Amino acid sequence: MDWRYMLGLAEGVVLGGLFSAGMAAVRGGWVPRATRGRVIRRRLWGQGLLVLTASLALPLIALALLGAGALYFAASLAGGTGMITGAVLMHRATRDRRRGPATARAS
């Protein structure tokens, strides 16, 4: 078997797992055990994971369909922006919105 085929298959398995975990968090509030103690807003965490998954897949799909070029570069920039956005959403899901920033609290 060709190594590119195996790499694409592995990519599909990983992205499928991330997508299913994101959908489970959005629809049912389920979060993987490793992050369960830190996540406060589970739906927001799932939305961030879905954005992160889509942004990881976008440049790879664009490369497969379009080849290297200006559109692939634009898809890579959009994917990088999506990765940052997804990570920020997942981080915000670990913060309690009622408490405010740590520096604003009175000691």
Side-chain angles (χ1 to χ4, degrees):
M1 242 188 261
D2 190 20
W3 66 272
R4 287 171 276 183
Y5 177 76
M6 295 300 292
L7 189 62
L9 188 62
E11 171 194 347
V13 168
V14 169
L15 291 176
L18 289 174
F19 177 77
S20 62
M23 285 303 294
V26 169
R27 299 284 296 170
W30 180 85
V31 177
R33 187 177 313 211
T35 60
R36 195 169 292 158
R38 295 183 301 238
V39 175
I40 296 170
R41 296 185 277 174
R42 294 176 175 203
R43 292 187 71 179
L44 182 63
W45 187 86
Q47 291 167 353
L49 187 60
L50 289 175
V51 169
L52 185 69
T53 303
S55 64
L56 284 172
L58 179 66
L60 299 171
I61 292 171
L63 181 63
L65 295 178
L66 305 171
L71 289 176
Y72 169 67
F73 180 70
S76 296
L77 288 178
T81 304
M83 283 185 234
I84 293 170
T85 304
V88 166
L89 287 175
M90 291 173 74
H91 174 70
R92 293 295 297 162
T94 62
R95 310 292 296 178
D96 190 4
R97 68 177 131 180
R98 294 172 289 174
R99 293 185 61 188
T103 57
R105 280 187 243 140
S107 297

